[in-house]
């Protein structure tokens, strides 16, 4: 689990840096930002349609799949470095980059499940999630300073080398990690054996990327519209990660019931929405930062609870399948959201706060469903 935590955290560091740089380039390029960024975001989710078909036929371990996906991401990142001044080409190249990102999202979850027998699931989930979010916080904050030194092309090429390094670190011991099917484990008392991912689980995973996608869309647009630059984007984005880290620390130290967690998440989302809606002014960035901190705390609590739930009740194959199908389902959800708010672009910021509330109810429904099976 130590290797998994280190390499997944390093990957998040580089991926977070890559995304903030590329989204900023697309959003601020001459010729308009909203619809170009909408097209880029929707195209980036198209690979999720193919991932479920691929994942179901994969016979290698999650660790090995992570290594191969990291090498692919490194290659595409290097190509992207030569396209940073061409927004249309950058949108297309970003599509290919997300093939690797979605493959990694499924492989990280499978790898985590392969390691679960060796660790306390709740503790490991909190630690890895907190480490990942810390990296996602540090990456965007570091990007403006690095760009000042090496330029936009230079930072993307450095990230290519970083992905290769993570792949090399992930390779150690890859041959000794079996494909875990958990067929010998006894299911939890009263819980039926699942041959595939249940719809409730898929529906919950389907909300993760729409939340992040809506946030990544509205962040550069809203921050630039309110007069701040890439540093402001990095600060506000980092506060989302800080919120997730706080949720991870609290989750590792205190157990809360599903009902209590749902109420806390909804409270965080409402508070975050109110802060974001405050009138613009000198403290705009501060208000947005506090808002995303609240959003991150609620979203992080849900992600940790969902990871603990899947690791406890399902094997790695079912989890990977649910993640892949959830990612595919995210595309129509995002398309509807972006089209609806296309007529009222100034209100697109509402989306991630609303979707976190919906995800909270979805996860609460899964807990209730599982409890009813034991009666």
């Amino acid at each position: 689990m130590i290797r998994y935590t280190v390499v997944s955290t390093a990957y998040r560091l580089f991926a977070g840096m890559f995304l903030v740089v590329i989204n900023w380039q697309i959003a601020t390029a001459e010729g308009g930002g909203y619809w170009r960024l909408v097209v880029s975001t929707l195209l980036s989710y198209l690979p999720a349609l193919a991932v479920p078909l691929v994942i179901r036929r994969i016979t290698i371990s999650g660790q090995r799949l992570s290594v191969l996906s990291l090498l692919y991401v490194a290659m595409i990142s290097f190509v992207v470095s030569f396209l940073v001044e061409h927004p249309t080409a950058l949108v297309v190249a970003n599509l290919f980059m997300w093939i690797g990102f979605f493959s990694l999202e499924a492989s990280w979850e499978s790898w985590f499940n392969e390691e679960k027998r060796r660790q306390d699931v709740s503790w490991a989930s909190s630690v890895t999630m907190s480490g990942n979010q810390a990296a996602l916080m540090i990456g965007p904050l570091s990007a403006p300073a690095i760009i000042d030194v090496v330029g936009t092309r230079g930072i993307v090429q450095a990230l290519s080398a970083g992905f290769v390094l993570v792949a090399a670190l992930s390779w150690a011991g890859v041959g000794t990690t079996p494909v875990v099917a958990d067929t010998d484990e006894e299911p939890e008392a009263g819980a039926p054996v699942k041959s595939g991912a249940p719809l409730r689980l898929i529906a919950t995973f389907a909300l993760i990327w729409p939340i992040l996608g809506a946030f990544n869309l509205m962040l550069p647009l809203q921050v630039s519209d309110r007069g701040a630059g890439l540093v402001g984007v990095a600060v506000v984005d980092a506060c989302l990660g800080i919120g997730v880290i706080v949720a991870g620390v609290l989750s590792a130290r205190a157990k809360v019931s599903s009902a209590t967690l749902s109420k806390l998440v909804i409270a965080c989302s409402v508070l975050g929405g109110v802060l974001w809606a405050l009138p613009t002014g000198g403290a705009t960035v501060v208000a947005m930062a506090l808002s995303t901190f609240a959003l991150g705390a609620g979203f992080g609590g849900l992600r940790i609870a969902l990871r603990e739930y899947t690791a406890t009740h399902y094997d790695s194959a079912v989890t990977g399948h649910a993640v892949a199908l959830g990612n595919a389902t995210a595309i129509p959800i995002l398309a509807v959201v972006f089209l609806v708010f296309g007529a009222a672009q100034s209100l697109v910021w509402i989306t991630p706060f609303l979707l976190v509330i919906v995800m909270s109810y979805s996860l609460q429904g899964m807990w209730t469903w599982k409890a009813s099976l034991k009666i």
Side-chain angles (χ1 to χ4, degrees), residues 74-286:
M75 178 185 68
I76 299 300
S77 177
F78 185 73
V79 174
V80 168
S81 69
F82 295 98
L83 304 173
V84 292
E85 300 299 330
H86 307 280
T88 302
L90 193 60
V91 168
V92 176
N94 195 41
L95 162 65
F96 289 93
M97 187 66 167
W98 276 86
I99 294 175
F101 283 164
F102 275 115
S103 178
L104 279 163
E105 288 307 310
S107 68
W108 289 130
E109 295 296 334
S110 294
W111 188 358
F112 179 84
N113 271 268
E114 290 160 9
E115 298 283 341
K116 70 183 182 183
R117 295 177 179 177
R118 309 171 195 173
Q119 299 286 338
D120 172 70
V121 173
S122 179
W123 179 88
S125 179
S126 298
V127 170
T128 55
M129 190 68 71
S130 297
N132 290 172
Q133 290 302 321
L136 285 173
M137 173 190 69
I138 296 171
L141 283 174
S142 305
I146 298 175
I147 289 175
D148 286 342
V149 177
V150 301
T152 304
R153 176 175 297 178
I155 190 175
V156 178
Q157 290 178 343
L159 291 172
S160 303
F163 289 128
V164 172
L165 175 61
V166 177
L169 294 174
S170 301
W171 181 258
V174 72
T176 63
T177 303
V179 180
V180 179
D182 290 355
T183 54
D184 294 332
E185 281 190 359
E186 294 184 3
E188 187 174 312
V193 176
K194 294 290 181 180
S195 58
L199 291 177
R200 290 175 176 85
L201 184 62
I202 296 170
T204 305
F205 274 114
L207 293 170
I208 293 176
W209 281 108
I211 292 170
L212 294 174
F215 177 79
N216 289 332
L217 172 80
M218 69 92 164
L219 183 60
L221 295 174
Q222 289 278 301
V223 172
S224 61
D225 285 347
R226 298 187 182 194
L230 183 57
V231 174
V233 172
V235 170
V236 177
D237 187 43
C239 286
L240 182 81
I242 296 174
V244 175
I245 293 171
V246 170
V249 172
L250 294 177
S251 177
R253 292 180 174 274
K255 295 289 185 180
V256 296
S257 66
S258 59
T260 301
L261 176 62
S262 180
K263 292 176 182 177
L264 289 174
V265 168
I266 292 172
C268 286
S269 298
V270 171
L271 175 61
V274 171
L275 288 170
W276 195 278
L278 290 176
T280 58
T284 298
V285 173
V286 175

Side-chain angles (χ1 to χ4, degrees), residues 27 31 33 43 65 147 186 242 251 276 285 287 290 312 333 351 374:
L43 283 178
L65 180 59
I147 289 175
E186 294 184 3
I242 296 174
S251 177
W276 195 278
V285 173
L290 292 174
T312 302
I333 295 175
T351 307
K374 300 177 183 180

